Amino acid sequence: MSIETQISGISVKVYSTSSDASEAVANEITQEITTRDHCVLGLATGGTPVDCYQRLVERHRNSGLSFADVTTFNLDEYIGLAADHPQSYRAFMQAQLFDHVDVRRERTWIPSGVAEDVSLECTTYESRIREAGGIDLQLLGLGHNGHIAFNEPGSPLESRTRQVELTPETIQKNARFFADDESVPRHAITMGIATILEARRIVMLVTGSSKAAAVSAMVEGPVGVECPASLLRNHPQVQLIVDEAAAAKLDVS
Ligand code: PGA
């Protein structure tokens, strides 16, 4: 069961459960891969997309969904963590998706967390996206404070891939994954808001009651840098796919 509506120019689909919402996002990604030659996907890390990635892996195993012709660009990476560090976003993507499907490793792009020249790494990342023809479908999650990727409140609309400082809140949230506080990364490379807004389509998945206020701020609050996700309202093709818990503070609910 789902409810579909438009709020502030964003197509909002509300599903009863987080599983149903993840299934809907897996359907969007599958459709993009199967209908477009040389599909370019923008991918996200975090707890939210894990179920969706599992569904894509199952479809690869059981229904022959092929990633052989797909190129991927991830949103962000921690500075200081090499690809083989267990908490790197590269390691996350390998474990959750890439190791289990037929995507070619050399077509899976994630900013390097150990680049000697970070600003060169950022501009090269932007060029690689352009050379690949731009992102067809960008998958996004939503932070409790309205962040998208590591674009925290205050990130400019025109921001591109760059080094950012993690907020104390994010550092604290991450501390549980590291041996001690000292090893928690303080910086990251993230695609910027302008980079994200250049994707042809954006699909955001948000689940759980703890995100309800952020969802409401994104679609019903003011558009501005204080809520980076609200800036997606400047994009013509955004789908917001949520479960009932995450939609609880929307008027539609
Ligand atoms: P989460 O992170 O999926 O782990 O909640 C989303 C985000 O902060 O962008």
Side-chain angles (χ1 to χ4, degrees), residues 45-49 141-143 147 149 173 211:
T45 51
T48 312
L142 175 64
H147 75 205
K173 238 181 96 186
K211 299 278 178 73

Side-chain angles (χ1 to χ4, degrees), residues 44-49 75-76 140-145 147-150 173 176 205 207 211:
T45 51
T48 312
L75 288 165
D76 42 20
L140 289 181
L142 175 64
H144 292 97
N145 62 0
H147 75 205
I148 47 175
F150 275 129
K173 238 181 96 186
R176 66 190 192 280
L205 174 62
T207 57
K211 299 278 178 73

